[in-house]
């Protein structure tokens, strides 16, 4: 497998963003405190390939005092880090007037490096490009944080590799939204094991 070069390392580190959303227009994409179910989210993990052994699920946690979503993952990558566990859902979003997607969340478990995965124009085949951005979640048993992902920082990828000359993301016609935890096949670190990402809301600002 190709090694991560210096340019990709710098781009990866620059994509790890921890920002409070600025005042301004907001559109709620997913409010997990109010949803009745998450049945329209489906798993897309490395078991789409013969060697895959990972697992992911998105569920609602409901108690007498709160409700949120939990993205549970069991990541069993190959020795080189190849592997991922994720979920996705179909959407119909025009985010032309927005700059960032903001996730209010907290991480628990072994892994805290995730990525958001978008597709556009109705493409949903594994043969199509995806548009991805890496992010790191602070680990906490108490506090929730906001992770801000700039829309112009989503880059085209194919099977985990960036495609520098790929078509840019059409923010006017986003038709799939997904979350993944990844093994790090092209990155300078590796991940494996059990993790949970607790999510309150996902908004556009």
């Amino acid at each position: 497998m190709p090694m991560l070069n210096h340019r990709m390392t710098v781009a990866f580190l620059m994509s790890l963003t921890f920002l409070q959303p600025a005042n301004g227009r907001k559109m709620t994409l997913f409010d997990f405190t109010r949803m009745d179910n998450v049945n329209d989210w489906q798993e897309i993990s490395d078991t789409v390939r013969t060697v895959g052994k990972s697992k992911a699920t998105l569920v609602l946690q409901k108690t007498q005092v709160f409700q949120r979503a939990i993205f549970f993952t069991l990541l069993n990558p190959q020795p080189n880090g190849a592997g991922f566990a994720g979920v996705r859902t179909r959407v119909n979003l025009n985010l032309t007037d927005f700059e960032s997607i903001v996730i209010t969340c907290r991480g628990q478990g072994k892994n805290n490096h995730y990525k958001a995965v978008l597709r556009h124009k109705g493409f949903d085949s594994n043969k199509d490009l995806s548009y991805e951005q890496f992010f790191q979640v602070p680990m906490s048993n108490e506090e929730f944080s906001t992770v801000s992902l700039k829309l112009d920082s989503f880059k085209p990828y194919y099977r985990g590799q960036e495609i520098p000359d790929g078509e840019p993301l059409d923010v006017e016609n986003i038709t799939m939204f997904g979350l993944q935890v990844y093994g790090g096949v092209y990155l300078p670190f590796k991940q494996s094991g059990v993790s949970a990402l607790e999510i309150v809301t996902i908004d556009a600002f």
Side-chain angles (χ1 to χ4, degrees):
M1 292 292 181
M3 297 297 291
L4 188 76
N5 60 33
H6 177 71
R7 182 184 63 81
M8 292 178 66
T9 302
V10 172
F12 171 73
L13 294 174
M14 290 178 65
S15 72
L16 302 183
T17 310
F18 307 93
L19 298 174
Q20 295 297 324
N23 292 330
R25 185 179 176 193
K26 180 179 84 167
M27 179 170 68
T28 297
L29 308 183
F30 305 99
D31 183 352
F32 294 109
T33 70
R34 298 178 179 273
M35 298 173 70
D36 293 329
N37 61 70
V38 288
N39 295 340
D40 53 346
W41 290 74
Q42 65 176 151
E43 181 183 7
I44 178 71
S45 297
D46 58 24
T47 47
V48 296
R49 301 166 194 165
T50 304
V51 296
K53 298 181 291 183
S54 301
K55 181 67 180 175
T57 187
L58 185 77
V59 300
L60 289 179
Q61 180 186 27
K62 299 182 180 182
T63 77
Q64 296 183 33
V65 293
F66 68 82
Q67 177 178 308
R68 64 181 65 112
I70 304 182
F71 173 41
F72 287 111
T73 54
L74 170 62
L75 184 59
N76 282 317
Q78 301 302 303
N80 65 355
F84 63 94
V87 292
R88 67 183 183 184
T89 186
R90 294 179 184 273
V91 294
N92 183 13
L93 299 174
N94 181 351
L95 300 183
T96 304
D97 296 330
F98 298 89
E99 293 183 354
S100 301
I101 293 174
V102 177
I103 306 173
T104 302
C105 60
R106 70 179 178 189
Q108 296 197 49
K110 190 173 180 182
N111 305 312
N112 68 334
H113 287 80
Y114 292 85
K115 61 183 174 181
V117 182
L118 307 177
R119 279 199 167 107
H120 61 194
K121 302 178 182 179
F123 297 139
D124 63 359
S125 167
N126 291 328
K127 297 180 180 179
D128 297 319
L129 292 179
S130 58
Y131 296 83
E132 304 179 1
Q133 187 170 165
F134 298 92
F135 64 95
Q136 186 176 354
V137 178
M139 307 294 270
S140 173
N141 290 325
E142 299 294 336
E143 299 297 326
F144 282 78
S145 301
T146 54
V147 177
S148 182
L149 308 174
K150 286 190 172 294
L151 285 166
D152 61 9
S153 294
F154 280 86
K155 304 301 181 183
Y157 281 78
Y158 181 71
R159 294 189 174 180
Q161 278 194 290
E162 185 178 349
I163 308 300
D165 58 349
E167 178 186 7
L169 175 65
D170 183 354
V171 297
E172 189 176 352
N173 189 16
I174 296 173
T175 51
M176 192 206 79
F177 185 96
L179 295 167
Q180 282 186 15
V181 65
Y182 52 89
V185 60
Y186 299 122
L187 299 175
F189 66 92
K190 307 302 175 188
Q191 297 191 121
S192 63
V194 178
S195 304
L197 181 64
E198 300 175 77
I199 310 169
V200 179
T201 55
I202 302 176
D203 303 297
F205 280 86

